Amino acid sequence: MNLKQYPNVHVSTHPLLKHKITIIRNKETRTALFREIVNEIASLEGYEVFRNLKTKNIHIETPLEKTTQPMVDLKKICVVPILRAGLGMVEGLIKLVPEAKVGYIGIYRNEKTHKPVEYLCKLPKNIKQMEVFLIDPMLATGGSAIDAISTLKKHGAKKINFICIVAAPEGVKAFCKKYPDVTLYIGALDRKLNKNKYILPGLGDAGDRIHGTED
Ligand code: PRP
Ligand code: URA
């Protein structure tokens, strides 16, 4: 896929991130390790993503003198996981921005149609003034992310980013067509979707692997 035509899309090139994504792709990786690594991946991606946060100068005093130094207004950051799988990334991301607000959007894909079904939405009241970081490990057809962004926009969110771990080209295209104004951060861009709309090579069902419900 030629990413040059999608300036809002960023795919990580960090070797540690690639290494950790390989661990969670492996079917031998069990729930406890899977959860731990998903959070580590979220922290690594977050470090890159938060690079663009605005800072504001404040006056402080070091033990030696008065000075003006930059701080980020962490309360203006809102992290929104798409349930269930997005929950697995919250801790890793929040570690970097501990005062951020957290909202929730619950969506599952209908097993036959693969279309998103939204069942929960709980967002902070003043989301209009916040920069939103929507998180979900998987961007497959793009349906769930697109639906969640429509919901965020309906609630007044203006500055939105989407962070995923694995994406399929089909989902990236659908996402960028619908929301070219939303910045998309991807850990690994995979080959394609299979006939059941699972990502290849992918990592299987992220929600089931994070929550231990695959058997
Ligand atoms: C998975 C995943 C995304 C969605 C991606 O959720 O966590 O939300 O599928 O697929 P899409 O891009 O084709 O919409 P799932 O439906 O398995 O729900 P769960 O997280 O509750 O298990
Ligand atoms: N949802 C997942 O959890 N995995 C996929 O490969 C596609 C959608």
Side-chain angles (χ1 to χ4, degrees):
M1 156 173 214
N2 181 8
L3 286 175
K4 286 215 178 87
Q5 54 185 308
Y6 302 111
N8 60 320
V9 178
H10 304 274
V11 182
S12 175
T13 53
H14 199 298
L16 270 180
L17 200 71
K18 291 182 188 183
H19 172 91
K20 287 177 194 291
I21 294 174
T22 300
I23 295 175
I24 59 169
R25 286 186 193 282
N26 190 336
K27 66 177 186 181
E28 303 301 332
T29 302
R30 309 311 307 165
T31 308
L33 181 61
F34 193 93
R35 282 184 187 139
E36 189 183 320
I37 302 287
V38 164
N39 269 313
E40 286 178 7
I41 290 170
S43 296
L44 285 172
E45 284 199 85
Y47 187 72
E48 290 290 334
V49 169
F50 292 139
R51 174 187 295 279
N52 297 321
L53 289 176
K54 298 259 176 310
T55 58
K56 212 167 135 183
N57 281 342
I58 62 155
H59 305 294
I60 55 158
E61 227 177 302
T62 73
L64 298 176
E65 63 173 7
K66 287 186 178 167
T67 176
T68 305
Q69 298 293 333
M71 290 280 276
V72 174
D73 188 353
L74 298 180
K75 292 197 198 86
K76 291 234 173 91
I77 297 173
C78 181
V79 172
V80 180
I82 300 179
L83 310 187
R84 288 177 307 164
L87 273 180
M89 298 170 73
V90 173
E91 210 183 296
L93 212 57
I94 284 294
K95 235 193 246 170
L96 304 177
V97 288
E99 287 165 62
K101 312 284 177 201
V102 182
Y104 298 91
I105 296 179
I107 298 174
Y108 67 86
R109 291 199 315 182
N110 176 296
E111 275 177 22
K112 288 204 183 89
T113 65
H114 311 295
K115 297 276 182 256
V117 182
E118 192 172 317
Y119 59 89
L120 179 122
C121 176
K122 183 79 186 150
L123 299 169
K125 278 193 209 87
N126 49 346
I127 197 158
K128 289 185 186 116
Q129 282 93 47
M130 297 179 166
E131 178 160 5
V132 178
F133 295 87
L134 181 69
I135 53 177
D136 190 321
M138 311 305 278
L139 180 76
T141 64
S144 304
I146 289 170
D147 183 90
I149 290 164
S150 308
T151 298
L152 289 169
K153 287 190 179 245
K154 262 184 230 147
H155 283 77
K158 290 187 179 68
K159 203 163 178 209
I160 307 172
N161 307 270
F162 179 66
I163 311 172
C164 65
I165 297 178
V166 179
E170 294 89 330
V172 175
K173 281 179 202 154
F175 183 103
C176 293
K177 191 167 173 210
K178 180 81 180 166
Y179 290 123
D181 57 320
V182 176
T183 312
L184 171 53
Y185 295 95
I186 300 170
L189 182 59
D190 276 12
R191 205 170 75 247
K192 62 170 191 167
L193 296 176
N194 71 7
K195 65 178 189 334
N196 294 321
K197 309 291 183 198
Y198 273 81
I199 301 173
L200 295 175
L203 50 78
D205 188 308
D208 278 343
R209 294 195 70 191
I210 287 168
H211 296 285
T213 50
E214 61 265 67
D215 332 294

PDB file of all heavy atoms in Angstrom, residues 184-201:
ATOM      1  N   LEU A 184      -3.894   8.939  12.189  1.00  0.00           N
ATOM      2  CA  LEU A 184      -3.943   7.502  12.439  1.00  0.00           C
ATOM      3  C   LEU A 184      -2.532   6.979  12.707  1.00  0.00           C
ATOM      4  O   LEU A 184      -1.639   7.123  11.869  1.00  0.00           O
ATOM      5  CB  LEU A 184      -4.551   6.832  11.193  1.00  0.00           C
ATOM      6  CG  LEU A 184      -4.558   5.334  11.029  1.00  0.00           C
ATOM      7  CD1 LEU A 184      -5.174   4.639  12.224  1.00  0.00           C
ATOM      8  CD2 LEU A 184      -5.338   4.953   9.777  1.00  0.00           C
ATOM      9  N   TYR A 185      -2.339   6.411  13.904  1.00  0.00           N
ATOM     10  CA  TYR A 185      -1.040   5.845  14.277  1.00  0.00           C
ATOM     11  C   TYR A 185      -1.148   4.324  14.297  1.00  0.00           C
ATOM     12  O   TYR A 185      -2.014   3.776  14.987  1.00  0.00           O
ATOM     13  CB  TYR A 185      -0.625   6.345  15.662  1.00  0.00           C
ATOM     14  CG  TYR A 185      -0.379   7.837  15.699  1.00  0.00           C
ATOM     15  CD1 TYR A 185      -1.390   8.718  16.088  1.00  0.00           C
ATOM     16  CD2 TYR A 185       0.860   8.361  15.344  1.00  0.00           C
ATOM     17  CE1 TYR A 185      -1.170  10.088  16.130  1.00  0.00           C
ATOM     18  CE2 TYR A 185       1.090   9.733  15.379  1.00  0.00           C
ATOM     19  CZ  TYR A 185       0.072  10.580  15.770  1.00  0.00           C
ATOM     20  OH  TYR A 185       0.304  11.940  15.804  1.00  0.00           O
ATOM     21  N   ILE A 186      -0.257   3.675  13.548  1.00  0.00           N
ATOM     22  CA  ILE A 186      -0.321   2.215  13.384  1.00  0.00           C
ATOM     23  C   ILE A 186       0.999   1.592  13.842  1.00  0.00           C
ATOM     24  O   ILE A 186       2.080   2.088  13.511  1.00  0.00           O
ATOM     25  CB  ILE A 186      -0.540   1.876  11.882  1.00  0.00           C
ATOM     26  CG1 ILE A 186      -1.859   2.491  11.383  1.00  0.00           C
ATOM     27  CG2 ILE A 186      -0.496   0.376  11.630  1.00  0.00           C
ATOM     28  CD1 ILE A 186      -2.036   2.403   9.874  1.00  0.00           C
ATOM     29  N   GLY A 187       0.905   0.491  14.590  1.00  0.00           N
ATOM     30  CA  GLY A 187       2.119  -0.224  14.998  1.00  0.00           C
ATOM     31  C   GLY A 187       2.678  -1.035  13.838  1.00  0.00           C
ATOM     32  O   GLY A 187       3.870  -0.977  13.536  1.00  0.00           O
ATOM     33  N   ALA A 188       1.815  -1.816  13.187  1.00  0.00           N
ATOM     34  CA  ALA A 188       2.236  -2.631  12.032  1.00  0.00           C
ATOM     35  C   ALA A 188       1.120  -2.651  10.997  1.00  0.00           C
ATOM     36  O   ALA A 188      -0.045  -2.868  11.351  1.00  0.00           O
ATOM     37  CB  ALA A 188       2.547  -4.054  12.488  1.00  0.00           C
ATOM     38  N   LEU A 189       1.498  -2.436   9.744  1.00  0.00           N
ATOM     39  CA  LEU A 189       0.517  -2.489   8.648  1.00  0.00           C
ATOM     40  C   LEU A 189       0.625  -3.863   7.994  1.00  0.00           C
ATOM     41  O   LEU A 189       1.665  -4.217   7.429  1.00  0.00           O
ATOM     42  CB  LEU A 189       0.822  -1.367   7.648  1.00  0.00           C
ATOM     43  CG  LEU A 189      -0.120  -1.241   6.470  1.00  0.00           C
ATOM     44  CD1 LEU A 189      -1.570  -1.007   6.908  1.00  0.00           C
ATOM     45  CD2 LEU A 189       0.325  -0.112   5.552  1.00  0.00           C
ATOM     46  N   ASP A 190      -0.440  -4.657   8.097  1.00  0.00           N
ATOM     47  CA  ASP A 190      -0.394  -6.043   7.633  1.00  0.00           C
ATOM     48  C   ASP A 190      -0.816  -6.181   6.169  1.00  0.00           C
ATOM     49  O   ASP A 190      -1.043  -5.191   5.479  1.00  0.00           O
ATOM     50  CB  ASP A 190      -1.250  -6.908   8.555  1.00  0.00           C
ATOM     51  CG  ASP A 190      -0.455  -7.334   9.802  1.00  0.00           C
ATOM     52  OD1 ASP A 190       0.630  -6.782  10.031  1.00  0.00           O
ATOM     53  OD2 ASP A 190      -0.933  -8.208  10.535  1.00  0.00           O
ATOM     54  N   ARG A 191      -0.925  -7.455   5.719  1.00  0.00           N
ATOM     55  CA  ARG A 191      -1.096  -7.727   4.283  1.00  0.00           C
ATOM     56  C   ARG A 191      -2.504  -7.467   3.787  1.00  0.00           C
ATOM     57  O   ARG A 191      -2.732  -6.724   2.867  1.00  0.00           O
ATOM     58  CB  ARG A 191      -0.699  -9.184   4.039  1.00  0.00           C
ATOM     59  CG  ARG A 191      -0.246  -9.473   2.644  1.00  0.00           C
ATOM     60  CD  ARG A 191       0.364 -10.844   2.529  1.00  0.00           C
ATOM     61  NE  ARG A 191      -0.629 -11.915   2.549  1.00  0.00           N
ATOM     62  CZ  ARG A 191      -0.744 -12.802   3.540  1.00  0.00           C
ATOM     63  NH1 ARG A 191       0.035 -12.738   4.598  1.00  0.00           N
ATOM     64  NH2 ARG A 191      -1.663 -13.753   3.477  1.00  0.00           N
ATOM     65  N   LYS A 192      -3.491  -8.141   4.447  1.00  0.00           N
ATOM     66  CA  LYS A 192      -4.870  -8.029   3.945  1.00  0.00           C
ATOM     67  C   LYS A 192      -5.857  -8.675   4.931  1.00  0.00           C
ATOM     68  O   LYS A 192      -5.438  -9.272   5.939  1.00  0.00           O
ATOM     69  CB  LYS A 192      -5.011  -8.701   2.583  1.00  0.00           C
ATOM     70  CG  LYS A 192      -4.725 -10.198   2.604  1.00  0.00           C
ATOM     71  CD  LYS A 192      -5.127 -10.823   1.279  1.00  0.00           C
ATOM     72  CE  LYS A 192      -5.120 -12.326   1.349  1.00  0.00           C
ATOM     73  NZ  LYS A 192      -5.758 -12.998   0.272  1.00  0.00           N
ATOM     74  N   LEU A 193      -7.134  -8.598   4.602  1.00  0.00           N
ATOM     75  CA  LEU A 193      -8.168  -9.275   5.400  1.00  0.00           C
ATOM     76  C   LEU A 193      -8.477 -10.629   4.775  1.00  0.00           C
ATOM     77  O   LEU A 193      -8.410 -10.779   3.549  1.00  0.00           O
ATOM     78  CB  LEU A 193      -9.450  -8.441   5.405  1.00  0.00           C
ATOM     79  CG  LEU A 193      -9.392  -7.064   6.060  1.00  0.00           C
ATOM     80  CD1 LEU A 193     -10.730  -6.340   5.885  1.00  0.00           C
ATOM     81  CD2 LEU A 193      -9.038  -7.177   7.533  1.00  0.00           C
ATOM     82  N   ASN A 194      -8.868 -11.604   5.617  1.00  0.00           N
ATOM     83  CA  ASN A 194      -9.320 -12.879   5.048  1.00  0.00           C
ATOM     84  C   ASN A 194     -10.830 -12.796   4.791  1.00  0.00           C
ATOM     85  O   ASN A 194     -11.446 -11.738   4.984  1.00  0.00           O
ATOM     86  CB  ASN A 194      -8.921 -14.069   5.950  1.00  0.00           C
ATOM     87  CG  ASN A 194      -9.714 -14.127   7.251  1.00  0.00           C
ATOM     88  OD1 ASN A 194     -10.667 -13.363   7.446  1.00  0.00           O
ATOM     89  ND2 ASN A 194      -9.331 -15.026   8.139  1.00  0.00           N
ATOM     90  N   LYS A 195     -11.448 -13.916   4.400  1.00  0.00           N
ATOM     91  CA  LYS A 195     -12.869 -13.835   4.022  1.00  0.00           C
ATOM     92  C   LYS A 195     -13.772 -13.544   5.228  1.00  0.00           C
ATOM     93  O   LYS A 195     -14.885 -13.072   5.069  1.00  0.00           O
ATOM     94  CB  LYS A 195     -13.311 -15.083   3.254  1.00  0.00           C
ATOM     95  CG  LYS A 195     -13.277 -16.375   4.028  1.00  0.00           C
ATOM     96  CD  LYS A 195     -13.797 -17.485   3.117  1.00  0.00           C
ATOM     97  CE  LYS A 195     -14.050 -18.813   3.771  1.00  0.00           C
ATOM     98  NZ  LYS A 195     -13.334 -19.217   4.957  1.00  0.00           N
ATOM     99  N   ASN A 196     -13.272 -13.821   6.417  1.00  0.00           N
ATOM    100  CA  ASN A 196     -14.044 -13.502   7.630  1.00  0.00           C
ATOM    101  C   ASN A 196     -13.684 -12.135   8.204  1.00  0.00           C
ATOM    102  O   ASN A 196     -14.012 -11.830   9.350  1.00  0.00           O
ATOM    103  CB  ASN A 196     -13.811 -14.574   8.705  1.00  0.00           C
ATOM    104  CG  ASN A 196     -14.364 -15.904   8.274  1.00  0.00           C
ATOM    105  OD1 ASN A 196     -15.441 -15.961   7.668  1.00  0.00           O
ATOM    106  ND2 ASN A 196     -13.633 -16.971   8.529  1.00  0.00           N
ATOM    107  N   LYS A 197     -12.945 -11.363   7.414  1.00  0.00           N
ATOM    108  CA  LYS A 197     -12.544  -9.994   7.795  1.00  0.00           C
ATOM    109  C   LYS A 197     -11.603  -9.983   8.995  1.00  0.00           C
ATOM    110  O   LYS A 197     -11.631  -9.064   9.812  1.00  0.00           O
ATOM    111  CB  LYS A 197     -13.773  -9.100   8.067  1.00  0.00           C
ATOM    112  CG  LYS A 197     -14.820  -9.120   6.963  1.00  0.00           C
ATOM    113  CD  LYS A 197     -14.327  -8.443   5.717  1.00  0.00           C
ATOM    114  CE  LYS A 197     -15.394  -8.401   4.632  1.00  0.00           C
ATOM    115  NZ  LYS A 197     -14.841  -8.147   3.304  1.00  0.00           N
ATOM    116  N   TYR A 198     -10.788 -11.026   9.108  1.00  0.00           N
ATOM    117  CA  TYR A 198      -9.694 -11.021  10.093  1.00  0.00           C
ATOM    118  C   TYR A 198      -8.408 -10.609   9.370  1.00  0.00           C
ATOM    119  O   TYR A 198      -8.234 -10.898   8.181  1.00  0.00           O
ATOM    120  CB  TYR A 198      -9.527 -12.405  10.747  1.00  0.00           C
ATOM    121  CG  TYR A 198     -10.428 -12.544  11.953  1.00  0.00           C
ATOM    122  CD1 TYR A 198     -11.770 -12.857  11.808  1.00  0.00           C
ATOM    123  CD2 TYR A 198      -9.944 -12.300  13.236  1.00  0.00           C
ATOM    124  CE1 TYR A 198     -12.617 -12.937  12.912  1.00  0.00           C
ATOM    125  CE2 TYR A 198     -10.780 -12.374  14.343  1.00  0.00           C
ATOM    126  CZ  TYR A 198     -12.104 -12.694  14.168  1.00  0.00           C
ATOM    127  OH  TYR A 198     -12.932 -12.762  15.262  1.00  0.00           O
ATOM    128  N   ILE A 199      -7.532  -9.949  10.139  1.00  0.00           N
ATOM    129  CA  ILE A 199      -6.299  -9.435   9.538  1.00  0.00           C
ATOM    130  C   ILE A 199      -5.272 -10.558   9.372  1.00  0.00           C
ATOM    131  O   ILE A 199      -5.078 -11.375  10.282  1.00  0.00           O
ATOM    132  CB  ILE A 199      -5.712  -8.302  10.415  1.00  0.00           C
ATOM    133  CG1 ILE A 199      -6.731  -7.157  10.570  1.00  0.00           C
ATOM    134  CG2 ILE A 199      -4.401  -7.787   9.830  1.00  0.00           C
ATOM    135  CD1 ILE A 199      -6.312  -6.058  11.548  1.00  0.00           C
ATOM    136  N   LEU A 200      -4.593 -10.581   8.186  1.00  0.00           N
ATOM    137  CA  LEU A 200      -3.518 -11.543   7.893  1.00  0.00           C
ATOM    138  C   LEU A 200      -2.185 -10.814   7.790  1.00  0.00           C
ATOM    139  O   LEU A 200      -2.129  -9.819   7.074  1.00  0.00           O
ATOM    140  CB  LEU A 200      -3.803 -12.291   6.584  1.00  0.00           C
ATOM    141  CG  LEU A 200      -5.040 -13.195   6.580  1.00  0.00           C
ATOM    142  CD1 LEU A 200      -5.266 -13.772   5.184  1.00  0.00           C
ATOM    143  CD2 LEU A 200      -4.910 -14.315   7.597  1.00  0.00           C
ATOM    144  N   PRO A 201      -1.104 -11.243   8.430  1.00  0.00           N
ATOM    145  CA  PRO A 201      -1.072 -12.371   9.362  1.00  0.00           C
ATOM    146  C   PRO A 201      -1.769 -12.075  10.689  1.00  0.00           C
ATOM    147  O   PRO A 201      -2.236 -12.990  11.337  1.00  0.00           O
ATOM    148  CB  PRO A 201       0.422 -12.629   9.572  1.00  0.00           C
ATOM    149  CG  PRO A 201       1.087 -11.335   9.252  1.00  0.00           C
ATOM    150  CD  PRO A 201       0.231 -10.648   8.219  1.00  0.00           C
TER     151      PRO A 201
END
